[in-house]
Amino acid sequence: MVIARPAVQAMPAYRPGRNPADLARELGIDRAVKLASNEVPFPPLPAVLEALAATAGETHRYPDNGAVVLTAALAERYGVDPAQVVPGGGAVLLCQQLAQSFNDPGTAIAFAWRSFEMYPLLAQVAGARSLRVPLVPSSPGGSPDTHDLDGLAAVVDDDTRLVFVCNPNNPTGTAVRRPELERFLDRVPETVLVVLDEAYREFVTDPDVPDGVELMRGRPNVAVLRTMSKAWGLAGLRVGYLLAEDPAVADAVRRTHVPFSLATLAQAAAVAALRSEEEVRGRVAAVVAERDRLTAALRGRGLEVPDSQANFVWLPLGEATAAVAAALEGRGVITRPFAGEGLRVTVGTPEEDDLFLAALDEVTSGASGTTGDDVRTGAPVG
């Protein structure tokens, strides 16, 4: 009998958000709303559709393994050398490449928790230890929702090879500011690679939250990870990229690249999207405005909602989380629960968000045994 590695057998399966069409059929309703995966609510950019149509006739050939055109476009956009750029089939794949490139079994990866759920799984597959540092409240008396950078620096030991700082943090949406982040980077040993995971950077409006690319410059042990799945609307095509101050870091990650994993269509779409930056900025502005409206509406209902710098909001519901998420789903609204902790809700269109708010009002009115006080305090439900 063939047996997988114990670390792999122990891994929980990744659970994507439910398909809204399936839920609608199950509930017998015309439409369900998915606010679970942090996608933007806009169709593909016109330039992207044109690039896909123009490139479709080339899909009988392997893609450019080096993604030369995309690499050059990214290098020009960020003012770096192409040798510092590593495109990949989504930011998650690049996270995996980072672990493969720098972690031997027995070494360690440090990160805040809760943060991006793939970090501990990457460590598990690599045979590395997970150094998890609990979040702290971003406001006095609030729920834990932001990085404890002093605590993160303190856990880094001689075996640590990677530190992930998700900024803004997924799933809480909070972001650490320049002074704290600069102090943290100055404390981390130069032998440890700090990866600033900025999947939601385009949605940041707080001027005190620094651009990781700026902080990277002059720091050879810092790299920046970004994605085109969110603001750029390419979630279905899987395009991410890494920028490294030290070209040797980029070279190491490039060596663990799965050949031809960045598809021809994905490369063409990414280049076209980069050329549509002004249109993307307009879409981001609309998401940010709706984020502010949704946050105000939730706070007006007496709910604790931290300031989000991403395209989602976080409701720290504690033990009520799973029940609230299930009740919302029963009303055709799919959100992302983190059992015992909180609910992550993607910013959708105004119509979608109004449907969510209406469903939430039904849930908190006690229609399913849940009271408004239960939700506001995170008390167990049912």
Side-chain angles (χ1 to χ4, degrees), residues 294-375:
L294 180 59
T295 298
L298 290 166
R299 288 175 176 170
R301 287 163 167 78
L303 296 169
E304 179 185 350
V305 184
D307 291 332
S308 175
Q309 293 295 308
N311 70 330
F312 54 84
V313 296
W314 173 250
L315 299 177
L317 302 181
E319 293 303 317
T321 299
V324 171
L328 289 170
E329 192 167 299
R331 290 161 174 78
V333 179
I334 304 167
T335 57
R336 185 59 187 267
F338 295 82
E341 297 177 68
L343 195 69
R344 191 189 70 195
V345 184
T346 303
V347 176
T349 64
E351 177 200 12
E352 290 172 335
D353 292 338
D354 285 343
L355 289 171
F356 158 68
L357 291 168
L360 184 65
D361 287 341
E362 288 187 17
V363 173
T364 57
S365 70
S368 61
T370 304
T371 68
D373 286 341
D374 289 333
V375 175

Side-chain angles (χ1 to χ4, degrees), residues 86 90-96 98 116 119 164-165 167 195-201 213 223-227 240-243:
V86 187
V92 173
L93 183 56
L94 286 164
C95 285
Q96 181 174 310
L98 283 160
F116 183 39
Y119 297 156
F164 285 103
V165 179
N167 199 42
V195 180
L196 303 178
D197 185 347
E198 297 187 330
Y200 301 93
R201 171 63 207 177
V213 179
V224 175
L225 184 66
R226 293 194 180 174
T227 182
Y241 55 95
L242 182 82
L243 306 174

Side-chain angles (χ1 to χ4, degrees), residues 172-236:
T172 61
T174 58
V176 290
R177 293 171 172 82
R178 181 181 298 275
E180 296 89 347
L181 193 50
E182 287 183 334
R183 282 199 302 269
F184 169 75
L185 294 176
D186 290 342
R187 287 184 61 184
V188 175
E190 62 183 15
T191 55
V192 177
L193 179 63
V194 178
V195 180
L196 303 178
D197 185 347
E198 297 187 330
Y200 301 93
R201 171 63 207 177
E202 291 85 355
F203 301 101
V204 172
T205 55
D206 184 341
D208 293 328
V209 176
D211 184 324
V213 179
E214 296 176 6
L215 294 186
M216 177 188 81
R217 300 187 193 279
R219 291 183 168 93
N221 67 325
V222 175
V224 175
L225 184 66
R226 293 194 180 174
T227 182
M228 301 195 75
S229 294
K230 310 304 182 187
W232 301 89
L234 301 184

